[in-house]
Structures are given as structure tokens and as C-alpha cells.
Amino acid sequence: MFRWEESSGFYLLVLLPLIAIVWWWSQKDITRLRRKFASDSLFERLSKNKIRHGFQTLLLGVILLCLIFAYVNPQAGTKRAKQKVEKSDIFIALDISNSMNARDLSPSRLEKAKRFVSDFIRTRYGDQVGLIYYAGSAFLQIPLTTDLAAAEMFAKSANTNMAGTQGTNIGEAIQVAMKSVHEPHQRALIVISDGEDHDNSALSMAEKAKNAGWSVFTIGVGSDSGSLIPVYENGRELYIYDDNGNPVKSILNQQLLKGIANKGGGAYYQLTDNSTFIISDLNVRLEKLQKHAQEVQSYSEFKSYYQYFLFPAIVLMVFGFFYDFKERQI
């Protein structure tokens, strides 16, 4: 296993283009001032160190890059150990029907839901998370996994073009979650949708899931006032119309989503601009679910390789000092 001990240090890489910009701007300013005293051709003949400043800037950039990699400290696992951990199994069923493109939530219902899923997954360290997409039909996008980074990546890539058929079949999404596991444990399913369900099985499936030990939570995405549904054809934005030529307006169906949560033994939330409360309250409820022990193998010892970057940085700094000292003597 390979990891970066201080991955936040990669933000320091932004200093590299800043150094390049400062160097370019300083050279431009120096050239402007120099032209007041000598022409470019005369300066070229008189100058002894035309590339000195460029070389020093490049050297500074390389030194900084080495120091950044030394700081983040690449590590490789050297010893694996078995340990038992307590985990919760959580499925997230995300609606990817066309109505989720509505913009009564900014930037759209689907984008708002994806951000919520990403923020929520980050709070479930140590648990197993699975991801289900559904529209007219449902499918398992990623099974239960402890690789939360992968789950978050898949959630961010969700879009309405991934739906095989349009519609919103929440009942099938619940069924897919139940069929994807076999061991009898308490589990949670979080259904994220605008509630425009075109199937009547959602309430009965939620009750069936509750009887099987599941807790079904629902999160409504949208508004009571609703919004038109945009679609894209050949790069153009159009809107969905009904058979009479009227634009279709999608309205959040809170009644259905509340009913599913009630039948499923969970709770209903409406996604707004502030999702912090939802995540906090949801996590409190999830902690009450029965966890199950699982034996996993993890690395208990790591070998650091920061020295392979720190040593070249020191050597280059010493070289840069003597190079600059020598140039000043000329």
C-alpha cells in the first residue's frame, strides 16, 4: 500500500506557477527599465549572464518541488496486521432521472444531491458504503466498500445520461439494495430523489425493507414551487413538454418521500442550502443502528521516503548558494 502522509501539502504546488508569474513579470519590468538606457542589441553584446536569472528561478522551483514532496512524505506499507472493526452498512440510492436536472436548487437538483452525497460519505470513515443509481430502473453502481474515495468519485460522476430508461422507480432501488447483500445485519438505505415516482411499489418495498432489518431514510431534492425540466440535444438546451405541448413542471413530492421514510422506519429530510444539519442528524440516527464486526487486514507499519527528496533539495540549495556567490565575483 502506498500513501502520502501529509497529502494536504500538495496545495503548496500552487507556489510553482506563482514563482513563474513573478519571474516573468520581473523580467518584463527589467526589460522596460533597461530600454531607457540601452538598446536590446547593445545590451546583448554587453551582457555576460543572459540566462542567470532564469536559471536561478528554475533552480528555486526545483528546490521548492523537492521540499513539497519531502513534506507530504511518500510512504509504503511494510507490515500487515489483522484486526476486527465495527462497521455500518449504508446504501445510497441516487435519482438520476431527467427531472433531477431541474434548477429550483442551484446549480441543479442532481448537482446539489451529488455534493450532499460527497459530503456525507466523508463523514462515514470506517463504514461500508454502496451506491445505487435509478430512474425508470435501478442498478448497483458500486457494491458495499470501505474505499470511500472510490464511492465519492462514482457519486461525483453521476449524470442523467446514465439512466437506461426514464422515470423514477424508487421501489426497484430499494429492492436492488436488499438483493445486493445476504448476511442478516441491520443496514441503512438513503434514498435521494425529487419524489416523482412512477411506480406504486415504493411504500410496500420500504415496509418490506424495514421488516428485514433495514432503515430507509429519504432526502427530498427540489422545491414546492417546482421548476421546468431542461434537456440537452446537440448542444442546445430545450425543455420537456407534455403531449399537449405544455412545458412539464417538476414539483418535489414530499408526501411520498415522507411516506417511504415512515414505512421504512427512517426519517425524511428536505435538502436545502445548508446540508450540515441533515448530515449531522442522519449520522446520529445511523449510530443507533447495530454495527457488525468484520476482520480486515491493514498496514500497521509504513516506511517513509521523504529523504529521497529532502537530500536533493539541500544539495541544490548549497549549489545555488555557491553559484550565486561565484556570479557576484564576476
Side-chain angles (χ1 to χ4, degrees):
M1 177 183 176
F2 179 83
R3 72 176 189 181
W4 304 97
E5 186 180 19
E6 297 289 345
S7 58
S8 60
F10 282 117
Y11 288 113
L12 295 173
L13 290 173
V14 72
L15 295 175
L16 296 178
L18 289 178
I19 290 175
I21 293 172
V22 170
W23 176 82
W24 174 79
W25 184 262
S26 65
Q27 290 299 110
K28 185 178 179 180
D29 194 50
I30 290 173
T31 300
R32 180 180 59 82
L33 294 174
R34 188 193 67 214
R35 285 173 177 170
K36 293 182 179 181
F37 302 97
S39 64
D40 291 341
S41 58
L42 178 61
F43 180 80
E44 289 292 326
R45 290 197 301 270
L46 296 177
S47 177
K48 295 181 179 180
N49 282 306
K50 294 179 287 184
I51 64 172
R52 174 186 170 188
H53 295 294
F55 175 76
Q56 288 177 324
T57 303
L58 178 62
L59 185 64
L60 176 61
V62 174
I63 292 172
L64 181 60
L65 184 63
C66 289
L67 289 175
I68 291 173
F69 275 96
Y71 173 71
V72 298
N73 189 18
Q75 293 182 323
T78 58
K79 184 178 180 181
R80 301 184 70 175
K82 291 183 178 180
Q83 59 180 355
K84 286 188 176 182
V85 295
E86 297 287 327
K87 295 180 179 294
S88 294
D89 292 344
I90 304 169
F91 278 94
I92 300 172
L94 179 62
D95 186 350
I96 57 170
S97 60
N98 279 334
S99 61
M100 291 292 285
N101 285 328
R103 298 198 188 100
D104 46 358
L105 292 183
S106 179
S108 71
R109 293 177 181 177
L110 183 57
E111 290 303 316
K112 189 76 173 178
K114 286 161 59 176
R115 291 178 185 177
F116 170 82
V117 172
S118 179
D119 292 341
F120 171 74
I121 288 176
R122 293 174 192 170
T123 67
R124 301 309 304 180
Y125 179 78
D127 290 333
Q128 294 191 124
V129 174
L131 190 60
I132 296 169
Y133 292 162
Y134 67 96
S137 58
F139 60 93
L140 184 65
Q141 177 66 18
I142 181 171
L144 285 173
T145 179
T146 56
D147 189 350
L148 301 187
E152 185 181 348
M153 179 188 68
F154 276 102
K156 288 180 177 179
S157 65
N159 61 81
T160 55
N161 294 326
M162 301 173 72
T165 56
Q166 284 302 318
T168 307
N169 195 335
I170 298 177
E172 186 172 333
I174 298 174
Q175 188 175 25
V176 168
M178 294 176 64
K179 286 185 175 180
S180 64
V181 293
H182 304 287
E183 300 84 359
H185 298 301
Q186 278 193 328
R187 294 184 173 87
L189 171 63
I190 302 170
V191 177
I192 304 175
S193 175
D194 53 24
E196 287 205 343
D197 197 358
H198 300 281
D199 183 82
N200 298 322
S201 66
L203 292 174
S204 59
M205 286 302 303
E207 187 172 15
K208 184 178 179 180
K210 178 184 177 182
N211 295 333
W214 290 70
S215 294
V216 182
F217 300 87
T218 55
I219 297 176
V221 187
S223 65
D224 296 330
S225 58
S227 175
L228 300 180
I229 305 174
V231 291
Y232 302 91
E233 293 183 6
N234 300 322
R236 297 173 55 201
E237 181 179 287
L238 306 173
Y239 292 94
I240 295 179
Y241 291 83
D242 60 21
D243 295 336
N244 297 322
N246 300 314
V248 176
K249 195 173 187 179
S250 174
I251 299 175
L252 173 63
N253 190 345
Q254 294 196 67
Q255 183 178 354
L256 173 64
L257 294 173
K258 288 179 180 178
I260 294 172
N262 182 52
K263 292 285 187 180
Y268 167 75
Y269 305 91
Q270 184 176 356
L271 188 59
T272 58
D273 290 334
N274 185 9
S275 61
T276 304
F277 167 77
I278 300 177
I279 294 176
S280 177
D281 190 73
L282 192 56
N283 282 334
V284 170
R285 294 175 182 269
L286 290 173
E287 287 304 314
K288 296 178 182 178
L289 298 179
Q290 179 184 357
K291 295 179 179 289
H292 60 93
Q294 183 176 357
E295 190 177 77
V296 298
Q297 284 194 342
S298 61
Y299 287 94
S300 58
E301 294 182 7
F302 290 85
K303 181 178 179 180
S304 297
Y305 293 93
Y306 69 90
Q307 63 272 16
Y308 292 99
F309 298 96
L310 182 60
F311 179 73
I314 295 174
V315 171
L316 290 175
M317 283 190 284
V318 173
F319 170 78
F321 172 79
F322 284 106
Y323 173 81
D324 185 65
F325 178 78
K326 179 181 178 182
E327 291 296 324
R328 292 179 185 274
Q329 303 304 311
I330 297 177

